[in-house]
Amino acid sequence: MRCEIITIFPSIFDAYLSESILKRAVEKGIVEFKVHQLRDYSVDKHRTVDDYPYGGGPGMVMKPEPFFRAVKSIKAEGTETFTLMMSPQGRPFDQEMALELSKEKRRLLFLCGRYEAIDERVRDSLVDREVSIGDYVLTGGELPALVIIDSIVRLLPGALGDEYSAKEESFSWGILDYPHYTRPPEFEGMKVPDLLLSGNHKEILLWRRKEALRRTLLRRPELIQRALLTDEDYRILSEIKEEER
Ligand code: ADE
């Protein structure tokens, strides 16, 4: 997979992409990143990328010319490209979109804005999908782009290595994770549930499924409707409802 990013703060990406899983994915040739400085595509000697908003109001708006020049220059290489723009007005990002994007054969190009907004003409003619990572406002598109990249790359085959597989995740698609424990078996008076120490793999799987369903029901009941559940899950859910009464 190839991800390219247009930003006025390339060093934000250099820091995150050169650590841990993402760094290893690059070394293994699973993903390739290229970060472009938007100011390199500005049209004046001051490398200006913003200007006052037409119609007045607070804040500055990112000029269209640098984005148009950057995208044109990047696309001139000829590689098919899917362009994403980060913005709170975009389609809400979720695991389903992460999975879809992880299968994308085209190069992904992330446009990151700063200031109040990006000139609407950028969205109208350069962007294939406007994406929001949640209903809150950040100071720029860099963190959203990294959030999306991180969630996509960990889904690419081979990215997570042997110690972890995304298999179990697909099993629990759409519900919350079960509680996890490691040694010691007792810590400050708090014990690990006995069943987890029993070595009974079948019972452990059942316990985990039940606790995952319990958390989802208690903390995020709206997820239950959308999750892919079996008849057995619905039976466990009634059991939980009885226990929680
Ligand atoms: N830029 C600022 N806030 C954002 C958000 N919540 N999602 C995507 N891009 C953004």
Side-chain angles (χ1 to χ4, degrees), residues 60-75:
M60 299 293 274
V61 175
M62 296 195 86
K63 295 166 66 58
E65 304 97 313
F67 278 110
F68 272 72
R69 289 179 60 174
V71 172
K72 190 176 170 195
S73 152
I74 292 164
K75 284 187 176 172

Side-chain angles (χ1 to χ4, degrees), residues 16-172:
Y16 194 79
L17 300 177
S18 59
E19 298 284 351
S20 186
I21 307 247
L22 298 194
K23 175 189 175 176
R24 263 190 288 150
V26 171
E27 288 166 356
K28 288 187 207 163
I30 293 167
V31 64
E32 212 179 326
F33 297 112
K34 194 165 177 187
V35 186
H36 304 268
Q37 168 57 269
L38 179 68
R39 290 193 192 280
D40 292 346
Y41 299 92
S42 61
V43 288
D44 66 319
K45 70 170 193 290
H46 302 293
R47 294 162 64 81
T48 308
V49 291
D50 62 328
D51 205 341
Y52 295 98
Y54 275 122
M60 299 293 274
V61 175
M62 296 195 86
K63 295 166 66 58
E65 304 97 313
F67 278 110
F68 272 72
R69 289 179 60 174
V71 172
K72 190 176 170 195
S73 152
I74 292 164
K75 284 187 176 172
E77 292 165 21
T79 317
E80 271 223 82
T81 304
F82 187 70
T83 305
L84 301 123
M85 185 175 91
M86 306 301 104
S87 121
Q89 284 69 242
R91 187 167 132 192
F93 184 67
D94 59 11
Q95 189 65 18
E96 205 175 330
M97 199 193 293
L99 193 63
E100 179 205 338
L101 291 174
S102 74
K103 294 173 183 160
E104 182 59 59
K105 293 286 172 268
R106 291 170 286 185
R107 160 176 63 184
L108 300 181
L109 176 60
F110 294 84
L111 308 188
C112 304
R114 282 269 151 179
Y115 314 115
E116 197 64 24
I118 301 177
D119 187 288
E120 193 66 13
R121 290 164 290 189
V122 170
R123 176 191 186 278
D124 291 345
S125 55
L126 300 181
V127 173
D128 296 303
R129 186 178 296 172
E130 189 177 2
V131 185
S132 165
I133 62 158
D135 292 334
Y136 41 81
V137 182
L138 300 165
T139 54
E142 286 77 13
L143 287 174
L146 280 172
V147 165
I148 294 170
I149 288 168
D150 189 287
S151 64
I152 293 173
V153 172
R154 65 186 290 288
L155 291 171
L156 298 175
L160 290 181
D162 291 339
E163 72 273 23
Y164 183 94
S165 90
K167 225 158 98 202
E168 207 166 326
E169 246 172 38
S170 68
F171 162 69
S172 54

Side-chain angles (χ1 to χ4, degrees), residues 201-214:
H201 198 61
K202 201 172 149 219
E203 286 295 316
I204 290 171
L205 279 180
L206 261 173
W207 181 87
R208 286 180 169 167
R209 186 71 183 171
K210 186 170 182 176
E211 295 315 308
L213 287 166
R214 187 192 309 277

